[in-house]
Amino acid sequence: MKIVHVITRLILGGAQENTLLTVEGLHHRHRDDVTLVTGPAEGPEGDLFRRAEEQGIKVELLPDLVRAVRPATDWKAYRELRRTFRRLKPDVVHTHSSKAGIVGRAAAWREKVPAVVHTIHGLPFGPFESPVRNRLYIGLERWAARRCHAIVSVCDAMTRQALAAGVGRPEQFTTVYSGMDADAFLNPRRPRDDVRRELGLAPEHVAFATVARLFELKGHDDLIAVAPAVLRANPNVRFVWIGDGILRERLIAELEAAGIRDAFILTGLVTPDRIPELLCGVDAVIHPSLREGLARVLPQSLLVGRPAISYDVDGAREVVTPETGVLLKPRDLDGLTAAVLRLAADPALRERLGSEGRRRFADQFRHETMTSQLRSLYQRLLDGRAPGG
């Protein structure tokens, strides 16, 4: 097949890693002719361009395909995408993220691409967004859903939320869980003790990792809010923040003002291949994000054998259950405090929850499974056998 994937930014992020793994699988395993079209990697989050180059992936950079809503620039991106599709003549165009999904689907539909697919990694509207933003994005997503043949959700929750907002038709939706290099998480390459020494963790420390950009709605403020009470009850707890972002300086200032900076370890930006060893070096994962789709770190932590604490948003409950971790109402700070202290005090409980997570999800989140499911969807669309085709 000739396939084009479109995403706004190829930064170090879950949607971007998911997309690049898909493109790599289509290129190497299925021998498809794949091109990845992306905008510039703005911000401090790093990028995946070097990895794409090392994997032999064809990447085309569109300077006007940016994340922010800019009508004049967006119109230019739409025209550039139309020219790109006209030149490449793809059988399939697959878009990712809301902005690239809206502009990319419009361009692909206008160019009469045989199969137009969009993946919802996380919806741009929800209870923690402003009413104005929600109305705007719901309207745009409804409009774009009429300009594609199929919509892929990374979890069942995304499908339910989209349909509840009037986005798309039920027959358009398919759930395909995000793929990852499962073996890297099942068998981290570096010894746990080495990683802990590198992080500055002593044997008595119980470390809770958060893997996320230092950005709005990711929940770092909630961790700062609960940390004083946690540390009074158990001074051996440590919080490990993996990632970087525009809020770094502000968050560090808040930690210092609260007198808890020593209990927080900030790794800064790390490459995706280091995530398995870092998760192996900690004792549990906290994911307090308020909008996520299905955060990759949740199955990743379970594959490593570490229990997860997460807010009950979007697809979190599809992996975090009473048998694998702790699910909390969003912004339940008392519950978050209690969950951290409970896991910190009970290594046998951490072992039991983590082991069950490994058992349940070792195969479900393999990137090979994801790529095969997506390619089967493409084939069904091109054959006219998929309901949305």
Side-chain angles (χ1 to χ4, degrees), residues 185-260:
F185 291 91
L186 293 167
N187 303 287
R189 64 187 181 185
R190 291 181 62 200
R192 170 179 164 85
D193 289 345
D194 290 355
V195 176
R196 288 179 69 86
R197 275 193 298 272
E198 182 181 289
L199 291 172
L201 294 170
E204 66 272 16
H205 289 151
V206 184
F208 292 79
T210 297
V211 182
R213 289 184 295 139
L214 305 182
F215 198 70
E216 301 289 349
L217 299 180
K218 294 297 185 180
H220 297 93
D221 291 324
D222 288 2
L223 294 175
I224 294 175
V226 303
V230 168
L231 294 168
R232 283 195 297 271
N234 188 339
N236 287 326
V237 169
R238 292 292 181 270
F239 299 92
V240 180
W241 286 357
I242 302 169
D244 204 346
I246 60 174
L247 299 185
R248 180 184 178 89
E249 298 306 319
R250 193 203 83 187
L251 292 170
I252 289 176
E254 292 179 5
L255 292 172
E256 291 174 345
I260 54 176

Side-chain angles (χ1 to χ4, degrees), residues 277-293:
E277 66 187 48
L278 290 170
L279 293 182
C280 179
V282 302
D283 301 284
V285 163
I286 306 175
H287 192 69
S289 178
L290 297 172
R291 190 188 72 191
E292 201 63 44

Side-chain angles (χ1 to χ4, degrees), residues 138-171:
I138 287 173
L140 288 170
E141 290 290 345
R142 288 174 176 172
W143 180 85
R146 296 193 292 271
R147 286 156 177 83
C148 66
H149 301 102
I151 301 173
V152 175
S153 297
V154 297
C155 57
D156 294 336
M158 290 294 92
T159 298
R160 291 194 296 269
Q161 291 175 24
L163 290 173
V167 174
R169 309 182 309 277
E171 62 270 19

